[in-house]
Amino acid sequence: MTPPAEPPASGLLDLRRFLEPALGSVPEPSDWWSGPRTWWAGALDVEGLALGSLGVLIAALTALGPARGAAVDASRVTTSSALAGASFDSIRRLRVDGRPPDIWAPMSGFRRARNDWVRLHANYPHHAQALLAALGIAGPEQLDAAVLERDALDVEAAVRSAGGVAAAVRTAGEWAASGAGTAAAGEPWIRWSLGEASAALLPHDVAPGLPLHGVRVLDLTRVIAGPSASRLLGALGADVLRIDPPQHPELLDAHLDTGFAKRSGVADLRVAEQLAEVRALARAADAVLLGYRQSSLVRFGLDVDSLRADVPHLAVVALNAWGWEGPWAEARGFDSIVQAACGIADLYGAPAGARDGSAHDAAWRPGALPVQALDHATGMGMAAAAVALLAARARGLAGSARLSLIATANELMRAGTPDAAEPAELPVETRTAVSAYGELEYVGPPLAVGGRPLDYPHAPVRYGTSPLEWMP
């Protein structure tokens, strides 16, 4: 288990220490962020997590500059409270022809069970069908009654067994005492696997202000964490190609939120010819981001170990929900589900102090973080890990990195309650872009490069229409 560290000079969560295996000592850059320290306020230091995770990416980008023959000062990267706050809440800021996205499906959210509360996630159609099958009901109108008939842990187990996504609302102590919680407690924020390799430098034709120009990133992730990482890598100049399976398409609102700065393709890995195309893309990539369960990827040769065996210098960054050891290592999970299981939903419950453990406590209800911070902070960690692995090439190191939503939750909960401060009102700058789906109003990336706010090079393309090939 990685012990907590003293906070850096900035007073934020010190996540930079997790870069040391790849980059050695990583000093904190000076004056890399500006703005108020508190704007959401609450039981946990979500602001410190947001800024701290961005600080890790900035530190990795600073290390990458010399490895690419670029002067660090010429492409100095910074952030601000306003940029971070808006980016971590990007989907709620999105508008399509003036309309906000429909974020939650009818069966997603907290439900009262017989003895406590449970959180369900049914945004994806196949997860919604699994939920209905697990509870033996025909439609959403029967959901509340069906959940109320069972204990929360029974609902969790039934839905998970059916291939759905659910978590009983636990206290932090209950989670720590569980098998999954015990295994996750020792999960570092970034788990590295590194070895010596012949130095393989990246292209040196760095465009002014674009640290990742010429870098190819294959994005095999979904939902928010991985796609938000690749969205930002694309804004930094990388050629990003995301590939999805046709049998489980991405939700349109998620595509519109995280599809900026990348292309979108579809491939059925069950078809030999299409699998061969994807594996060829991976062999020609500089970095691959993985967000599917490793057991699902092994049979296609697209898991961490197989990719690294095929291309020794390839930077592979993988994500899961619950950590890489223990009984839930292969379990499905989302930001909201992890919050419910690990004690965050309990900490944010309201009214404070009203929970008394009775079967039907009408006064208390579980809560949630002000934004999906586990997703976004883990995404920043994925982007930082990918950049660090690219920088490590010049040091003769190559390997992979693994992150998880629960490890991010652990770091947030270890940081404790922030100092009491009046939350500031942050300005939100939105931009507009024409897309195949209409006019999009959106917030930009959470970084400034060379003193100028970064922007995405293009709006999301029409989903699944990009050819399976790298840009020339």
Side-chain angles (χ1 to χ4, degrees):
M1 176 177 175
T2 304
E6 291 296 319
S10 60
L12 308 174
L13 274 70
D14 186 11
L15 301 174
R16 291 173 298 104
R17 69 190 190 277
F18 291 103
L19 292 179
E20 291 179 0
L23 299 179
S25 178
V26 183
E28 182 177 16
S30 61
D31 302 324
W32 59 269
W33 73 279
S34 60
R37 179 63 176 79
T38 303
W39 58 90
W40 287 311
L44 295 171
D45 190 6
V46 183
E47 296 93 336
L49 176 66
L51 291 169
S53 63
L54 282 164
V56 178
L57 175 56
I58 290 171
L61 287 165
T62 301
L64 180 66
R68 300 204 67 185
V72 176
D73 290 342
S75 58
R76 192 170 184 279
V77 185
T78 59
T79 189
S80 70
S81 302
L83 290 173
S87 178
F88 271 56
D89 201 20
S90 62
I91 194 165
R92 286 194 296 206
R93 303 288 183 180
L94 180 69
R95 297 293 182 270
V96 184
D97 288 332
R99 297 186 301 274
D102 186 10
I103 299 174
W104 296 106
M107 294 194 295
S108 293
F110 291 110
R111 293 292 189 282
R112 190 188 292 275
R114 182 163 52 196
N115 68 326
D116 212 328
W117 290 82
V118 65
R119 179 108 196 200
L120 308 175
H121 198 290
N123 289 15
Y124 287 89
H126 57 296
H127 291 155
Q129 289 302 315
L131 175 60
L132 295 174
L135 298 179
I137 57 178
E141 67 280 357
Q142 299 173 299
L143 179 62
D144 287 344
V147 173
L148 196 57
E149 291 177 353
R150 305 186 186 206
D151 289 349
L153 289 174
D154 292 339
V155 174
E156 174 188 276
V159 174
R160 283 164 46 86
S161 295
V165 187
V169 174
R170 295 167 170 82
T171 65
E174 289 168 342
W175 171 250
S178 70
T182 300
E187 194 67 48
W189 191 54
I190 303 178
R191 178 191 285 244
W192 298 96
S193 177
L194 299 167
E196 293 184 3
S198 57
L201 297 178
L202 293 167
H204 282 266
D205 55 334
V206 183
L210 294 177
L212 298 183
H213 178 75
V215 172
R216 292 172 170 177
V217 178
L218 183 62
D219 181 7
L220 302 178
T221 69
R222 293 171 69 78
V223 200
I224 296 175
S228 68
S230 59
R231 174 180 68 179
L232 187 47
L233 295 176
L236 289 164
D239 176 17
V240 180
L241 175 59
R242 173 173 164 173
I243 299 177
D244 283 279
Q247 66 271 28
H248 295 309
E250 182 59 280
L251 300 174
L252 177 58
D253 291 332
H255 170 65
L256 293 177
D257 178 39
T258 63
F260 288 87
K262 67 185 75 169
R263 293 174 293 124
S264 169
V266 170
D268 190 340
L269 301 182
R270 300 166 300 182
V271 178
E273 293 81 3
Q274 295 182 45
L275 173 59
E277 286 186 87
V278 174
R279 293 191 63 176
L281 288 167
R283 285 192 293 271
D286 295 295
V288 177
L289 306 185
L290 302 175
Y292 294 89
R293 290 179 297 156
Q294 289 299 290
S295 60
S296 300
L297 294 171
V298 166
R299 62 192 177 114
F300 300 118
L302 292 171
D303 58 296
V304 173
D305 293 338
S306 297
L307 288 171
R308 292 276 297 111
D310 284 349
V311 189
H313 67 265
L314 184 64
V316 184
V317 183
L319 160 77
N320 74 7
W322 303 106
W324 300 90
E325 296 177 357
W328 284 17
E330 283 288 319
R332 298 171 178 86
F334 297 94
D335 182 308
S336 60
I337 299 298
V338 174
Q339 288 188 46
C342 75
I344 291 175
D346 175 69
L347 282 174
Y348 277 78
R355 193 178 193 190
D356 61 12
S358 63
H360 300 296
D361 181 355
W364 186 86
R365 182 181 177 85
L369 298 175
V371 293
Q372 290 181 276
L374 305 184
D375 267 329
H376 284 280
T378 307
M380 295 307 97
M382 293 182 74
V387 171
L389 286 168
L390 297 177
R393 285 188 185 187
R395 304 175 64 213
L397 290 176
S400 62
R402 289 178 166 90
L403 294 93
S404 64
L405 299 181
I406 190 59
T408 301
N410 289 344
E411 293 297 324
L412 177 60
M413 295 182 77
R414 288 182 190 128
T417 304
D419 294 335
E422 188 69 24
E425 286 286 335
L426 295 181
V428 178
E429 178 188 338
T430 60
R431 309 169 191 184
T432 59
V434 176
S435 78
Y437 298 92
E439 183 179 79
L440 303 183
E441 183 181 354
Y442 67 99
V443 294
L447 297 176
V449 178
R452 301 180 62 181
L454 195 63
D455 201 358
Y456 300 115
H458 59 80
V461 301
R462 188 164 291 282
Y463 178 80
T465 59
S466 300
L468 301 184
E469 60 189 27
W470 292 114
M471 298 289 285

